[in-house]
Amino acid sequence: MIIAAGLSPAWQRILEFDCIRLGEVNRATAADECASGKVLNVGRACHRLGATTRTLTVVGGATGRAIQSEFEREGLSARWVEVAAPTRICTTLLEAGGRVTELVQNAAPLEPSEVARFSAAFAAEAAAATVVVLSGSLPPGVPATFYAELLRDCPAPAVLDAQGPELLAALPQHPLVVKPNRQELERTLGRPLRSDGELQGALAELQLRGAQWVVVSQGAGAVWVAHGEHCWQWAPLEVAQPRNPIGCGDCLAAGIAVAVAQGAEVPEAVALGLAAAAENLQGLFPARLDPQRVAARCQGVRKRSAPETP
């Protein structure tokens, strides 16, 4: 059982345009809506990859009810912690030329009692988990130590997709994998990572702080994987007709979790994650993965040793 948990789900609007002109009226050529946000994308992706999965998150208002209905229609197992604030709405703008603009509404603050109910639900679900995935930003009112507190008594290995103070605070709990992207890692450490050497130094720093494995994505660039003295690069798969990149990082995390739950070592698990991310890039809606196509893509993933630092 994989538990996908987080506090920042979203109801996603996807608007398609021929071209967007700032300061002018722009009329969409198509409009769609769906459940999204990191935690929901991870839960759906794990399910699509064939893993027994349960998603745990907070929902509120009409958008929260829409998320619940969508998961029920798709047969996705979930545990909902109902809260007072409506679930946020985020909007993705897709242009025919390939440019993507994301309009992100921050999650509403949570009351201490709501956070406590989520924590109790997580402890109950994690007790039977093979792997847990914690992902997403923390809403106002939630302490930066929240992920650390969840992991302190969690018996299962954890994949942590977070950034900033909440990532740093959780590292002493020794998560199996931490998975920021390069920009998130720069913001977390408060410094630019301009060279390969600077990036490798940052990977080593996260390990010194407690991470067992560090996986850092770079959009269309190579994915870096570090463990101890070893460091590898994975070349992302080429996608002939990319459509929507939203959710690719979530599918990477989901693929890693699914493979680890099946007994794979982390370097091999990254291959499944990259194949899932490539499959996601071709779709309009996030995390709607085809497991057969993901498996076929996985055969084309290649790793290489990272370049030596000067």
Side-chain angles (χ1 to χ4, degrees):
M1 170 74 78
I2 296 175
I3 302 299
L7 293 174
S8 299
W11 186 248
Q12 193 84 18
R13 288 179 177 155
I14 303 172
L15 303 179
E16 298 182 71
F17 300 85
D18 291 329
C19 179
I20 293 176
R21 295 176 176 83
L22 296 180
E24 300 182 18
V25 174
N26 293 272
R27 297 188 182 276
T29 58
D32 293 282
E33 296 184 341
C34 66
S36 187
K38 281 183 172 294
V39 57
L40 302 183
N41 293 341
V42 170
R44 175 181 274 111
C46 288
H47 174 84
R48 290 292 185 104
L49 291 174
T52 302
T53 308
R54 192 162 171 83
T55 300
L56 170 63
T57 192
V58 296
V59 289
T63 45
R65 291 190 293 273
I67 289 170
Q68 290 175 283
S69 296
E70 184 175 289
F71 264 52
E72 184 176 351
R73 288 194 304 271
E74 295 185 21
L76 301 173
S77 176
R79 180 167 178 171
W80 310 108
V81 176
E82 296 193 5
V83 298
T87 300
R88 64 188 178 140
I89 298 174
C90 294
T91 304
T92 301
L93 310 179
L94 303 178
E95 296 179 65
R99 187 169 64 172
V100 179
T101 302
E102 186 73 1
L103 307 179
V104 177
Q105 176 185 344
N106 290 330
L110 295 178
E111 296 294 330
S113 61
E114 295 169 339
V115 177
R117 285 193 286 118
F118 179 94
S119 297
F122 177 83
E125 297 293 340
T130 306
V131 177
V132 300
V133 184
L134 296 172
S135 58
S137 57
L138 298 179
V142 180
T145 56
F146 183 70
Y147 284 144
E149 293 164 1
L150 294 183
L151 293 176
R152 186 171 295 119
D153 298 317
C154 178
V159 177
L160 177 61
D161 187 358
Q163 61 175 307
E166 52 262 50
L167 170 57
L168 295 178
L171 293 178
Q173 301 306 317
H174 305 294
L176 176 65
V177 177
V178 297
K179 195 211 71 62
N181 63 40
R182 189 166 184 154
Q183 290 181 329
E184 291 169 342
L185 184 54
E186 289 178 331
R187 289 194 290 267
T188 297
L189 298 178
R191 64 178 187 267
L193 303 173
R194 300 186 182 92
S195 67
D196 288 347
E198 289 175 338
L199 177 58
Q200 287 178 278
L203 301 178
E205 181 176 340
L206 292 192
Q207 292 181 81
L208 286 173
R209 289 173 178 250
Q212 297 182 52
W213 291 82
V214 183
V215 177
V216 175
S217 57
Q218 305 180 99
V223 172
W224 290 69
V225 180
H227 175 66
E229 297 180 354
H230 302 287
C231 192
W232 302 269
Q233 286 183 337
W234 292 87
L237 294 167
E238 292 186 7
V239 175
Q241 294 180 315
R243 190 167 187 190
N244 187 357
I246 304 302
C248 286
D250 310 325
C251 290
L252 173 58
I256 292 171
V258 169
V260 167
Q262 294 171 345
E265 297 294 331
V266 172
E268 287 65 42
V270 171
L272 181 62
L274 284 173
E279 175 71 10
N280 179 80
L281 185 58
Q282 284 198 308
L284 176 64
F285 300 106
R288 273 63 171 182
L289 304 178
D290 180 292
Q292 285 74 35
R293 289 202 297 264
V294 172
R297 289 180 186 276
C298 197
Q299 303 305 310
V301 179
R302 297 289 181 267
K303 72 174 178 179
R304 59 181 182 267
S305 295
E308 295 288 338
T309 56

